[in-house]
Amino acid sequence: MKLPLLLGTLLLAPGCIVARSGPSRPSPRPPPPSRPVAMSYDEAVHRGFDQCRSRGYQCELQEAHLTGNNVWKVKMRAFAQGAKGHLHLDYDAYSRNLIKVNEKVKGKGGGRDDDWDDDDDRGHGNGNGKKKGHAHRDD
């Protein structure tokens, strides 16, 4: 009984060993590095609002668009107490770096206080300033 068991084991043993003959398969290439994801419209607008507010302005979105050279152009109306203007921002779509800032926010009337002497109508008709015509006399 030992002989058939030994003989069966010897006959099955070579079938369990699998060896591959021929050229080995090359290992698969690693995937290429992933390209960074471009900034979305919402992200560009959000960054524009953050930049505008950090400069102390109240902000209103005018326009935002992506150019052909991967630059987000975000245009904001900017308001501060007694001043208004615009803030135009350019962001690199992939690195998210702020590339260019065009900030033009000025006070009303060219930055002058036209009402420096609390004079209504700029001094006309209320007794202040130069008078035109003859002087009024009390007779």
Side-chain angles (χ1 to χ4, degrees), residues 9-26:
T9 307
L10 288 175
L11 290 175
L12 289 176
C16 293
I17 300 173
V18 178
R20 193 176 256 210
S21 63
S24 65
R25 215 175 185 191

Side-chain angles (χ1 to χ4, degrees), residues 108-124:
K108 294 177 184 172
R112 299 186 325 255
D113 182 5
D114 288 334
D115 204 22
W116 66 272
D117 61 353
D118 295 323
D119 205 19
D120 292 335
D121 297 322
R122 296 186 188 218
H124 300 289

Side-chain angles (χ1 to χ4, degrees), residues 39-112:
M39 190 176 355
S40 68
Y41 173 87
D42 290 337
E43 184 180 356
V45 169
H46 181 75
R47 286 178 179 263
F49 273 110
D50 286 348
Q51 188 66 229
C52 191
R53 289 181 189 129
S54 74
R55 294 168 184 264
Y57 302 129
Q58 293 176 346
C59 313
E60 183 179 296
L61 179 64
Q62 234 179 337
E63 172 188 359
H65 66 274
L66 181 62
T67 66
N69 55 351
N70 298 320
V71 173
W72 274 103
K73 296 200 172 270
V74 181
K75 298 178 181 181
M76 312 288 282
R77 286 189 185 105
F79 307 93
Q81 191 166 1
K84 65 180 179 176
H86 72 257
L87 181 64
H88 295 181
L89 307 161
D90 290 0
Y91 290 97
D92 182 281
Y94 288 95
S95 71
R96 292 160 171 76
N97 290 331
L98 181 60
I99 300 170
K100 182 180 172 186
V101 177
N102 181 353
E103 178 180 0
K104 292 189 179 170
V105 180
K106 296 183 179 180
K108 294 177 184 172
R112 299 186 325 255

Side-chain angles (χ1 to χ4, degrees), residues 117 119 122-124 126-132:
D117 61 353
D119 205 19
R122 296 186 188 218
H124 300 289
N126 64 356
N128 294 328
K130 290 187 177 181
K131 295 184 182 185
K132 294 186 178 183

